[in-house]
Amino acid sequence: SQKIEQNSEALNIQEGKTATLTCNYTNYSPAYLQWYRQDPGRGPVFLLLIRENEKEKRKERLKVTFDTTLKQSLFHITASQPADSATYLCALDYFGGGTASKLTFGTGTRLQVTL
Amino acid sequence: DVKVTQSSRYLVKRTGEKVFLECVQDMDHENMFWYRQDPGLGLRLIYFSYDVKMKEKGDIPEGYSVSREKKERFSLILESASTNQTSMYLCASSVTTGLYEQYFGPGTRLTVT
């Protein structure tokens, strides 16, 4: 079965630095890969989506890469701020939408940005 | 803005009780999902629905059932609650075309004693 690995250890980073989070998966590559942010006691919030034929996607201070050869996605937050502290989840979508579309989530990586 | 609401933020039930968790979305989304989230296990899909009265089993459907009588409402039912169903339950919805991101509700923290 598909296995998704996100670093379960918390990532501590100083304000202003770039945070890089990793999502590795086994077996076959998904059609889409999504990243979500989750704050304590709240539901996840969608951040970015990247398709299998895209290498990189950007949104403001966020950047996602997708390497189907390495079976890996990297999520970058540049100029990180304490408000970026949260758990970040990656999710794999094998069907690319439609009635069969469902996501398989990783366990998430907790990011802590300190002053 | 898309809004997904869940009937309760916190719920405490006794073993053997029948439990209903309600989810409502206001954006006319076709797909709706129920997940549970546990430390170290992440989000796991229980059931999903792509249309009224349609449902599909997710990865961990045992001990649960669902109902979708109206497009905007998706209910999760625990027929006989057990202590191993203590968890955070999250509902989500999405469209079936365009970007397929899921919109989540705030979650229900269920404790079964």
Side-chain angles (χ1 to χ4, degrees):
Chain A
S1 62
Q2 182 63 270
K3 190 176 176 184
I4 304 167
E5 291 181 353
Q6 291 187 260
N7 193 342
S8 58
E9 299 288 328
L11 179 64
N12 294 297
I13 195 161
Q14 198 173 19
E15 183 181 21
K17 302 289 186 184
T18 296
T20 299
L21 285 69
T22 304
C23 176
N24 295 298
Y25 59 91
T26 58
N27 300 336
Y28 43 94
S29 290
Y32 299 86
L33 195 147
Q34 303 184 17
W35 283 87
Y36 289 77
R37 168 186 172 137
Q38 187 174 23
D39 292 289
R42 294 177 177 266
V45 175
F46 171 77
L47 295 174
L48 278 170
L49 176 150
I50 188 165
R51 295 173 174 79
E52 61 179 332
N53 60 353
E54 296 176 321
K55 297 295 183 188
E56 183 179 297
K57 203 74 166 288
R58 291 176 186 263
K59 179 182 176 183
E60 298 172 353
R61 294 185 296 113
L62 308 180
K63 184 177 86 171
V64 171
T65 62
F66 191 8
D67 189 325
T68 56
T69 302
L70 293 178
K71 297 186 178 179
Q72 181 182 77
S73 176
L74 298 179
F75 178 81
H76 306 271
I77 305 175
T78 58
S80 57
Q81 305 165 1
D84 295 326
S85 299
T87 296
Y88 292 86
L89 309 171
C90 73
L92 278 52
D93 177 358
Y94 285 92
F95 298 100
T99 57
S101 178
K102 56 178 183 174
L103 299 177
T104 302
F105 283 87
T107 53
T109 297
R110 189 163 60 88
L111 173 67
Q112 185 70 42
V113 181
T114 55
L115 296 170
Chain B
D1 280 350
V2 176
K3 196 166 184 183
V4 180
T5 57
Q6 295 184 229
S7 50
S8 305
R9 289 303 305 273
Y10 301 94
L11 209 53
V12 180
K13 295 291 181 180
R14 294 189 182 273
T15 301
E17 279 193 84
K18 191 168 186 176
V19 181
F20 292 87
L21 302 181
E22 299 278 320
C23 175
V24 178
Q25 50 95 2
D26 66 358
M27 284 300 291
D28 202 37
H29 284 174
E30 295 87 355
N31 294 334
M32 296 189 75
F33 307 84
W34 274 107
Y35 296 89
R36 64 177 283 176
Q37 187 173 31
D38 301 286
L41 296 176
L43 277 162
R44 292 181 292 167
L45 182 64
I46 303 170
Y47 268 97
F48 70 102
S49 168
Y50 53 87
D51 201 351
V52 174
K53 297 192 186 296
M54 306 304 290
K55 61 185 180 184
E56 293 282 343
K57 291 180 180 179
D59 300 316
I60 51 163
E62 297 78 18
Y64 303 93
S65 62
V66 291
S67 172
R68 194 169 181 197
E69 297 295 320
K70 293 185 178 181
K71 190 174 185 180
E72 68 271 17
R73 190 179 297 268
F74 192 34
S75 302
L76 180 70
I77 303 151
L78 287 67
E79 295 289 343
S80 177
S82 63
T83 55
N84 63 10
Q85 292 178 310
T86 292
S87 186
M88 170 69 90
Y89 289 87
L90 289 156
C91 174
S93 70
S94 74
V95 295
T96 56
T97 57
L99 289 181
Y100 315 113
E101 73 269 30
Q102 293 188 6
Y103 294 85
F104 284 83
T108 296
R109 172 76 63 184
L110 173 67
T111 302
V112 182
T113 61

